[in-house]
Amino acid sequence: AIIGAYSREGKYDSALNILQCMLDSELKPNARACNIVINSLGKAGKVKLAFEIYDLMKSLGHAPDVYTW
């Protein structure tokens, strides 16, 4: 919910920070959280960073879906 709220406000950096906090706390972000951050980064023109999150998503065992693309 927090990642989505930041993304809706165009605050990709805050959404990314929450994702990192989850990882630091040994919480596994789900595919939806990853997709939201990827979408937010794409809208901000941060394509390289979006693909880094895509790679992270796959490393967490989540398969890309229609929303990812």
Side-chain angles (χ1 to χ4, degrees), residues 2-56:
I2 295 172
I3 290 174
Y6 277 134
S7 292
R8 282 189 295 279
E9 293 294 319
K11 298 179 179 179
Y12 73 88
D13 53 338
S14 296
L16 189 57
N17 187 41
I18 296 297
L19 189 76
Q20 186 60 54
C21 286
M22 290 178 71
L23 294 168
D24 292 345
S25 298
E26 298 183 13
L27 298 172
K28 181 180 174 184
N30 61 20
R32 182 173 177 170
C34 293
N35 280 333
I36 290 169
V37 173
I38 290 168
N39 185 32
S40 183
L41 290 167
K43 287 179 180 178
K46 304 292 183 180
V47 177
K48 182 179 178 191
L49 193 50
F51 274 101
E52 289 178 24
I53 301 303
Y54 171 78
D55 290 339
L56 170 69

